[in-house]
Amino acid sequence: MSTANNAPGSLSSNTNRDSKRFSSLGDSRLNDFLPSLHLESIANTVTGTMSTTVSTTASMLFSPLTTRAVKGDTAYILSELAPQLMDQRRIQQLVNNNGNTRHTKEGSNKLISLEDISTSTTTPKPDDILFNSEIPESKAPLSLFQGYKATFQEVESPNNSKKKSKFHKRKVRGLLAEAFGSQDAMSDIASIDGDYKPLNQLIADRDRVVRENNKIQMQESRTKAEIKKIEGEIAELTARKLNLETNLAKYNERQIELSSQLGDLDEKIANFNPENNNSERRMRTKGKGAAKHNYEHGTCIKVLEGHDDIITCLDFDKSCGTLITASLDNTLRAWDLNNYRCLGILDGHKDVVNCLQVNGSRLVTGSRDKTIRQWDLSKLISHPESVTNLSELSFASASVHEANGLSNIGDNCWIASLEGHSKSITCLYFENNSLVSGSSDKTMKHWDMETGQCILTMDILWAMSSSKVERRQAGFLFDSYIFDGGEFIGALQFRDVGLASGTEDGAIRMWDLRTGQAHRTLLSHTGPITSLQFDDRHVVSGSVDRSIRIWDLRTGSIIDTFSYDNSVTSLQFDTNKIISCAGSNDIKIYNRTNFQHSSFEGHSQQVQCVKFKDSILSSGGRDKVVKLWAL
């Protein structure tokens, strides 16, 4: 570098020295030397310029890499360095050509001194200048050549250019990320590509993105609207499906029940006896029974008057058989449904009869006098002192019948009495020779009707305490309920060894008569159970909570619920219908085939109890009368 800086001084001294030497030379040799002298001056000048250029180049090549030095500085370096390199090549070529010319003309004579040759040959080469230059140390992880290679992709073949474009961009970003080590620097470098797009292209790209965004928003709105519409349709279809499934289940149940009825009718047809049928027909045609006429559905066939107080319970064996009614007037009356006449009063109980059941010619009654009585109704038909005038029935009472010679007819019909309960009998049910009774003493007793002995006693309070956790889980807390000694056990029924009971705590319990244990509790009612009945598939219950619930006997779940304005006091059902009374003057009827509700109106006060057999319905109310209806 010192040679390049002292180039002007050395040039003047050499010129003086050469002028003395050239004075002894010939003109021809002087003329031959002048070009060489001219070339040396040019070389020294170029050497100085080259030194400055190389220093600048080295500082740019090896200085720390910046974002600006990616493209612009590279082009600037090449544009500045190329002419200098070309001048050096030209100078070297001229020196070489000049040396060859001298040797050719002078032969073996040394026209140029050794000092001149050394001066001409010691002209520094660009590589030597670059090698001897002081190169600044760079702290950048990448050199300019690496940045240049990463920025300007090599020329690729048309087939590979598209495949390597994405890889090249990722490689560039990776190298630059390693070099700068920050997301901000990367964002600055990433903006370089956008700087080369013209303004109109950027505006066009923005408009395209805006249009695409608007289009997507419209499609999104339409999609949301379609989804909402489909959700609504799905909800509607789901509701329709559930409704159809419910109807289908009811149709299947109805089909099974009809199949059972068909089997019973086939059995009756196979066992049909013409003689028995003729004798029964003759008995029916003697009077004015309802079976002789075809009444329209809902027609009130007859009103039976005679009781002096509210009718508490009633039952009958068949449409033209015997009807038994009980009332708060402490009487138990028997009626002939063939002639609609009162057969007499069944005396024997000392208090009001709360419950009764008629099965064929056998009658069982339960009273507030804590006793259960059995009666044989077959002895009533031949009684000679039956009342035949309906006007007498309107004023009939126990004393009137005694005055007219119609005192009690219970002496002829009474069979036996069952005693064992400590309080009022509230409900009972018998089948064959087995009887189960429920009492206000919070117990149920299983009786053998032939021997009159109690087989089993079931304690309701013990069952309630054992199912306390279950009732709490269901949300029915009756721990603080005060039982006032009323109808604690509101209804019961059994079949074979299975017993169902409804009690004042609103629970329906299923019992095993072999062990006397309750094995299932149905919880849903919020008031005392007043009535219940079950068959092979269902349990139907009525309650003070003003509802009737239909239960699935297999699963214990509720199938259907009917709500009314008042407490349900009595109900009965078969495969076709559910008939009940719920604290109003009409009788509620639910058709299980077409799922329609209807009613019979005719009582002047609330209906208290209902019972139907075949095509005849009987009802008793607070208006002290019993009415017969056609079904």
Side-chain angles (χ1 to χ4, degrees), residues 153-164:
Q153 66 179 23
E154 297 178 358
V155 179
E156 301 289 346
S157 60
N159 296 331
N160 296 331
S161 60
K162 293 183 178 180
K163 297 181 180 179
K164 294 185 177 181

Side-chain angles (χ1 to χ4, degrees), residues 392-409:
E392 296 179 4
L393 295 177
S394 302
F395 305 97
S397 64
S399 59
V400 172
H401 283 288
E402 289 178 0
N404 294 334
L406 295 177
S407 60
N408 77 82
I409 56 176

